[in-house]
Amino acid sequence: MAAGAVIVLGSVLAALAVGSGAFGAHGLEARFSERAMAIWQTAVQYQFVHALGLLLVAALWERLQPGWGLASVIAMALGVLLFSGSLYALALGAPRVLGAIAPIGGTLFIVGWATLAVAAAVGRA
């Protein structure tokens, strides 16, 4: 995976986060409870932060150990999918049992940042 692909991934996730936030604020606010809106906004916030995290990984790509850098990208991307995705679904009325997926995504976020630290500490061989 090249830095360019990570830039594309981070940029697309950031654009989707902005769109999801706007959709929530303007298209769903009248239909959602306060709790559902809070869940939706949490999903947007974490998606956006980790989209920026992916862009950070891309910016540092040439300084990172490739295997650990790729692990960081995969963990952050899967974290967005599982954490934010499950929260979006919950806000839209999915069964509450789906909420059990969010902590897995949150753990992947932590793994993503930790592997970024390792990738930077080890650096290019």
Side-chain angles (χ1 to χ4, degrees), residues 41-65:
Q41 290 305 325
T42 298
V44 169
Q45 178 184 2
Y46 276 80
Q47 179 177 338
F48 195 71
V49 165
H50 289 87
L52 293 177
L54 288 166
L55 294 174
L56 174 66
V57 172
L60 297 173
W61 195 255
E62 293 303 317
R63 304 178 101 188
L64 303 176
Q65 195 282 333

Side-chain angles (χ1 to χ4, degrees), residues 15-26:
L16 290 171
V18 172
S20 296
F23 180 64
H26 302 291

Side-chain angles (χ1 to χ4, degrees), residues 16-17 21-22 29 35 39-40 51 63 65 69 71 75 80 82 88-91 94 102 104 113 121 125:
L16 290 171
E29 188 173 39
R35 177 161 166 67
I39 292 169
W40 187 270
R63 304 178 101 188
Q65 195 282 333
V80 169
L82 296 177
Y88 288 132
L90 286 172
I104 298 168
W113 290 107

Side-chain angles (χ1 to χ4, degrees), residues 29 31-43 87 90-92 96 99:
E29 188 173 39
R31 299 174 188 198
F32 273 17
S33 67
E34 280 187 40
R35 177 161 166 67
M37 280 305 299
I39 292 169
W40 187 270
Q41 290 305 325
T42 298
L87 292 186
L90 286 172
L92 291 169
R96 290 181 54 104

